[in-house]
């Protein structure tokens, strides 16, 4: 089942960004997120076991769209696709990486932080971007000002977004969803709390 990056991002208002340090007991975490009604996750490649986690989770939890984050080059892209990730996310992008994803026909969310980034990717046919690091790169005002020159372009802002400000971001007309790590704080084992945070995130923007 091959979805476009736009259709994947539109499944939930919030995409939890997860940095997972070990494969043991990850079922509880993903069950908690599914109970919380979230449909997409991004598992970053910042840990040694990330690819293994992506493989396990994408096999076991077919109701989730499992994405891989921190995809930095073409070999990362190939690895995450082979591991079973439904899509890839990058903090920025290179021409090679953006072209490779098109060539592989693989849903890819490239990171941008300014107009030049956007224009280069528009030329290649991209219309959905990760805006990163969202708060540090100019915040909501910056994103609003991109609406003028780039109508119809959608962003998934990530970086500095939390439970308090998420709804403000999501209400922007060029925001398709937001990425955030607040739903699963690192080393979190309070699965009821994760479900509570996920449920409240899943209702944002309605």
């Amino acid at each position: 089942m091959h979805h476009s990056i736009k259709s994947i991002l539109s499944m939930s208002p919030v995409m939890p960004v997860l940095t997972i340090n070990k494969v043991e007991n990850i079922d509880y975490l993903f069950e908690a997120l599914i109970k919380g009604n979230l449909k997409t996750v991004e598992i970053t490649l910042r840990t040694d076991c990330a690819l293994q986690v992506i493989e396990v989770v994408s096999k076991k939890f077919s109701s989730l769209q499992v994405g891989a984050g921190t995809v930095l080059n073409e070999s990362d892209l190939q690895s995450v696709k082979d591991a079973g990730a439904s899509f890839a996310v990058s903090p920025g992008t290179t021409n090679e990486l953006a072209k490779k994803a098109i060539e592989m026909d693989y849903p890819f969310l490239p990171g941008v932080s300014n107009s030049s980034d956007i224009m280069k990717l528009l030329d290649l046919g991209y219309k959905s971007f990760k805006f990163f690091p969202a708060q540090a790169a100019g915040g909501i005002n910056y994103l609003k000002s991109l609406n003028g020159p780039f109508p119809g372009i959608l962003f998934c802002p990530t970086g500095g977004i939390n439970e308090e400000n998420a709804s403000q971001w999501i209400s922007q007309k060029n925001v398709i969803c937001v990425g955030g790590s607040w739903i699963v704080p690192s080393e979190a084992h309070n699965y009821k709390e994760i479900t509570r945070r996920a449920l409240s995130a899943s209702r944002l923007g309605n």
Side-chain angles (χ1 to χ4, degrees):
M1 180 71 163
H2 188 73
H3 295 285
S4 70
I5 192 71
K6 184 179 172 182
S7 72
I8 291 168
L9 296 174
S10 62
M11 291 176 187
S12 289
V14 178
M15 176 160 72
V17 178
L18 313 174
T19 304
I20 297 175
N21 297 304
K22 53 179 192 294
V23 182
E24 293 77 44
N25 299 332
I26 52 170
D27 288 16
Y28 298 119
L29 170 58
F30 291 95
E31 280 158 8
L33 290 171
I34 290 167
K35 249 188 227 155
N37 222 7
L38 292 179
K39 309 277 188 288
T40 57
V41 294
E42 175 190 324
I43 296 169
T44 71
L45 295 188
R46 294 177 198 179
T47 58
D48 296 338
C49 64
L51 284 171
Q52 200 187 342
V53 171
I54 288 167
E55 203 166 328
V56 170
V57 176
S58 50
K59 275 205 185 80
K60 208 172 218 177
F61 300 103
S62 53
S63 66
L64 271 184
Q65 294 286 325
V66 179
T70 328
V71 170
L72 302 182
N73 51 49
E74 294 174 60
S75 77
D76 285 349
L77 195 64
Q78 194 59 59
S79 306
V80 303
K81 186 182 186 187
D82 294 344
S86 322
F87 63 103
V89 182
S90 177
T93 193
T94 62
N95 218 13
E96 293 73 39
L97 185 57
K99 280 185 169 152
K100 183 69 174 175
I102 292 170
E103 201 182 296
M104 287 164 60
D105 187 28
Y106 189 54
F108 176 53
L109 185 68
V112 297
S113 59
N114 60 54
S115 303
S116 298
D117 291 348
I118 295 168
M119 284 159 64
K120 283 179 195 136
L121 289 158
L122 269 178
D123 275 355
L124 296 176
Y126 284 90
K127 297 208 161 49
S128 304
F129 306 103
K130 169 174 172 160
F131 177 52
F132 178 82
Q135 283 299 79
I140 286 179
N141 285 342
Y142 189 81
L143 201 68
K144 270 185 185 160
S145 62
L146 291 173
N147 231 337
F150 305 113
I153 295 301
L154 294 169
F155 298 95
C156 169
T158 306
I161 294 168
N162 55 43
E163 203 158 7
E164 285 67 57
N165 65 19
S167 60
Q168 239 186 312
W169 281 96
I170 289 164
S171 63
Q172 302 307 313
K173 67 174 183 222
N174 56 352
V175 169
I176 188 166
C177 66
V178 300
S181 48
W182 82 88
I183 294 161
V184 181
S186 57
E187 301 308 313
H189 302 297
N190 181 347
Y191 299 108
K192 276 203 171 77
E193 170 64 10
I194 290 173
T195 295
R196 185 198 67 74
R197 289 179 185 207
L199 276 172
S200 102
S202 74
R203 296 190 194 105
L204 289 168
N206 290 343

